[in-house]
């Protein structure tokens, strides 16, 4: 143990206990600390006294609008929670979804506009048209009668008369008369329609193609010829909209044609067709049979033609095609012949129906009947030599389409081979020395045809149609293709001025043609081909509609006033006109 005694410094002896002042400084520091402690104690005592005094009943009031409020305390949970922002997905499947580079454009449909009910135009039961041509004494009359709107039945009749007592220069009496009576009816059923027709025609012509300087014929009956036709027809047609059904069309007809010289022709014709779909292709089957009975003054001929034509039709978005075969049996003049003809038609829409090329091949047996011959040439000799024409094949190719919404066109080139094609030549071998009737000659012929058609239609105001054909004939035995023009052009137009004035025009341009005529040179008579000039014919008609029930018309024919020849020795009428009216009787 240390014997050194610790002592507190004495202020009074501070200076005597230290010589260097260190002990004196420590003592001063302790003295200040004690003073500070006593000061704090005193302050605390005074504060307690003041607070005790403030809690007495003395109060002070201070007016104020302030209303103190205490907000709800937000308490925090004692246990913090951890919320995961990433949701857990169960059964995750991974895959690749392919998206086309150029997606298809989906067209948004537009709701169709609703048409308001408009009153139907009034229909009349009849129409009568009358006219007269003063130059060649040409009376004209035409009458139509029918029922009005009916969902189940349609019936009516049509009558026509047109005649002339023309006496042309340097030729015989050229009067003619055309009379037509047609009665028709149609009955509509749920899935079928039944139609019936009866036609009666009476046509009178005169063989006026002779020189009046060489032959004086005062009796008009000597050159008169009359053709009379009776023709009833019936048709049954189905109208199934379901492709699983077989649609059919059955036509049965008969006619009797006779003239003044005991020549007569009877024909019974049956045509039946059926069509159905096999997958996406359309199957057509056509069956036909014709029976002809030719009665002449010195002979009777029968001809039976039976044929069948199956074909398939198919198509896509831009193309259509038909492929088939026609088989025909012809029993004529105690000989039976079999014929087979191809059927092929294809077309392809290159661009929006503006450019549509097409091509094909076909053929068929052409019946040269009494009726077909006089319809082409009414001045033919009725004691005809009948032979049917065999069109072995006809190959064609063309281009058609629409140039605009109002204009369409069609251009075609074809090549056909014909056995026994008929030609008309003047008969110089008969007992009739007037030489004013045509006979028939037949020859194997090939024909190249270049044809075109252009059509323009602007609503109901303008309607124009132009057609043209150019022919190249190559015969085997005869020198020329007699009475076959090199070309023909036609233009027809209608202009409607506010349904008040209607203008119509027809123009025909016919090329040159050859005829076989009798020529005398150096006291020698022989047959020689001569060329008939071409011709131009133009007709105009103007109609003024006074009302819906009455109108007037003026018709001008052969405005160029040409004397042209369609058939050798038979000149045409020159300029003539007709005036008339049209009205509704009831």
């Amino acid at each position: 143990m240390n014997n050194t005694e610790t002592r507190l410094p004495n202020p009074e002896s501070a200076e005597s206990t230290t010589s260097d002042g260190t002990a004196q400084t420590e003592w001063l520091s302790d003295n200040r600390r004690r003073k500070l402690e006593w000061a704090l104690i005193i302050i605390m005592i005074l504060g307690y006294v003041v607070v005790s005094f403030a809690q007495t009943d003395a109060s002070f009031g201070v007016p104020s609008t302030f209303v103190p409020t205490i907000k709800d305390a937000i308490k925090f949970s004692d246990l913090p929670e951890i919320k995961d922002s990433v949701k857990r997905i169960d059964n995750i499947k991974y895959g690749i979804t392919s998206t086309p580079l150029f997606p298809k454009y989906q067209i948004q449909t537009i709701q169709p506009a609703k048409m308001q009910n408009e009153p139907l135009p009034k229909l009349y039961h009849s129409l009568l048209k009358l006219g007269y041509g003063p130059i060649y004494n040409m009376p004209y009359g035409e009458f139509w009668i029918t029922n009005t709107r009916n969902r189940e039945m349609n019936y009516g009749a049509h009558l026509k008369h047109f005649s002339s007592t023309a006496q042309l220069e340097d030729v015989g009496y050229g009067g003619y008369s055309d009379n037509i009576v047609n009665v028709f009816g149609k009955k509509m059923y749920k899935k079928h329609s039944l139609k019936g027709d009866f036609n009666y025609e009476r046509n009178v012509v005169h063989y006026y193609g002779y020189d009046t300087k060489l032959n004086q014929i005062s009796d008009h009956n000597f050159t008169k010829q009359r053709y009379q036709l009776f023709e009833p027809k019936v048709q049954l047609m189905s109208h199934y909209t379901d492709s699983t059904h077989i649609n059919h069309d059955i036509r049965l007809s008969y006619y009797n044609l006779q003239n003044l010289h005991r020549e007569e022709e009877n024909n019974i014709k049956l045509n039946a067709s059926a069509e159905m779909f096999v997958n996406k292709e359309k199957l057509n089957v056509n069956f036909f049979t014709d029976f002809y009975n030719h009665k002449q003054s010195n002979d009777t001929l029968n001809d039976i033609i039976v044929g069948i034509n199956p074909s398939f039709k198919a198509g896509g978005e831009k193309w259509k095609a038909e492929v088939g075969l026609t088989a025909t049996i012809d029993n004529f003049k105690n000989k039976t012949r079999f014929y087979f003809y191809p059927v092929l038609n294809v077309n392809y829409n290159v661009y929006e129906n503006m450019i549509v090329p097409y091509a094909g091949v076909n053929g068929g047996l052409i019946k040269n009947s009494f009726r077909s011959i006089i319809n082409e040439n009414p001045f033919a000799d009725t004691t005809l030599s009948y032979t049917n024409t065999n069109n072995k094949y006809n190959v064609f190719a063309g281009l058609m389409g629409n140039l605009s919404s109002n204009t369409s066109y069609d251009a075609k080139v074809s090549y056909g081979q014909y056995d026994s094609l008929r030609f008309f030549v003047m008969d110089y071998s008969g007992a009739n020395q007037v030489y004013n009737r045509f006979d028939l000659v037949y020859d194997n012929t090939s024909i190249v045809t270049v044809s075109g058609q252009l059509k323009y239609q602007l609503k109901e105001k303008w309607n124009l149609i132009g057609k043209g054909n150019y022919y190249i004939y190559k015969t085997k035995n005869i020198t020329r293709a007699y009475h076959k023009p090199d070309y023909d052009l036609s233009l027809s137009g209608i202009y409607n001025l506010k349904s008040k004035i209607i203008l119509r025009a027809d123009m025909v341009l016919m090329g040159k043609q050859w005829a076989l005529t009798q020529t005398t040179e150096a006291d020698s008579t022989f047959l020689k081909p001569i060329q008939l000039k071409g011709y131009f014919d133009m007709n105009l008609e103007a109609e003024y509609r006074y009302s819906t029930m009455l109108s007037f018309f003026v018709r001008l024919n052969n405005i160029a006033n040409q004397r042209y020849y369609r058939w050798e020795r038979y000149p045409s009428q020159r300029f003539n006109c007709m005036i008339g009216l049209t009205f509704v009787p009831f």
Side-chain angles (χ1 to χ4, degrees), residues 251-315:
R251 303 183 183 187
L252 179 64
S253 64
Y254 165 79
Y255 74 77
N256 173 267
L257 176 64
Q258 52 186 287
N259 63 8
L260 288 176
H261 306 299
R262 294 185 299 175
E263 281 84 21
E264 184 178 359
E265 181 175 81
N266 294 279
N267 170 249
I268 300 175
K269 181 182 295 184
L270 173 64
N271 288 348
S273 63
E275 60 182 34
M276 63 177 296
F277 283 90
V278 179
N279 294 329
K280 294 184 179 181
E281 287 74 29
K282 187 177 182 181
L283 173 62
N284 293 334
V285 179
N286 299 320
F287 174 80
F288 58 91
T289 177
D290 286 359
F291 172 75
Y292 291 89
N293 172 253
H294 307 275
K295 293 183 179 180
Q296 298 181 348
S297 58
N298 56 357
D299 196 6
T300 299
L301 298 174
N302 294 322
D303 186 7
I304 300 177
I305 301 174
V306 180
I308 188 170
N309 167 226
S311 64
F312 275 98
K313 290 184 178 180

Side-chain angles (χ1 to χ4, degrees), residues 490-555:
S490 65
L491 177 63
S492 301
I494 300 177
Y495 176 71
N496 187 338
L497 182 59
K498 297 182 179 180
S499 297
K500 200 68 176 179
I501 298 177
I502 312 297
L503 301 177
R504 297 180 178 88
D506 296 294
M507 293 176 285
V508 177
L509 180 62
M510 193 73 68
K512 298 178 181 179
Q513 55 183 332
W514 291 89
L516 187 63
T517 188
Q518 182 173 276
T519 304
T520 301
E521 294 180 3
D523 298 332
S524 177
T525 302
F526 57 93
L527 298 177
K528 177 183 178 181
I530 62 170
Q531 193 174 53
L532 304 179
K533 296 181 179 180
Y535 61 86
F536 172 76
D537 193 355
M538 181 176 181
N539 307 318
L540 292 176
E541 180 180 346
E543 179 183 0
Y544 172 69
R545 294 179 177 176
Y546 179 77
S547 66
T548 57
M549 301 181 68
L550 179 63
S551 64
F552 303 91
F553 69 89
V554 177
R555 186 179 301 162

Side-chain angles (χ1 to χ4, degrees), residues 12 82 157 188 260 294 396 479 557 563:
E12 296 180 357
I82 300 176
M188 280 76 72
L260 288 176
H294 307 275
F396 60 90
T479 306
N557 299 320
R563 181 184 171 94

Side-chain angles (χ1 to χ4, degrees), residues 5 27 42 56 60 139 166 188 194 200 202 216 223 256 303 318 356 360 367 388 412 426 429 433 503 546 558 571 577:
E5 183 179 357
W27 181 85
I42 294 171
T56 62
F60 300 90
M188 280 76 72
L194 180 63
Y200 171 76
R202 184 180 185 275
Q216 297 292 332
T223 59
N256 173 267
D303 186 7
K318 289 190 174 183
V356 184
K367 174 61 182 177
N388 294 333
K412 182 173 68 173
M426 188 62 69
S429 61
Q433 299 299 318
L503 301 177
Y546 179 77
N558 196 1
C577 63

Side-chain angles (χ1 to χ4, degrees), residues 34 73 95 102 155 175 212 249 333 349 357 376 385 416 422 436 458 474 500:
R34 291 188 188 96
F102 300 100
Y155 56 88
T212 54
D249 184 3
K333 295 181 178 179
N349 186 0
E376 182 179 359
S385 175
R422 72 186 184 206
N436 57 350
L458 179 61
K474 185 177 180 181
K500 200 68 176 179

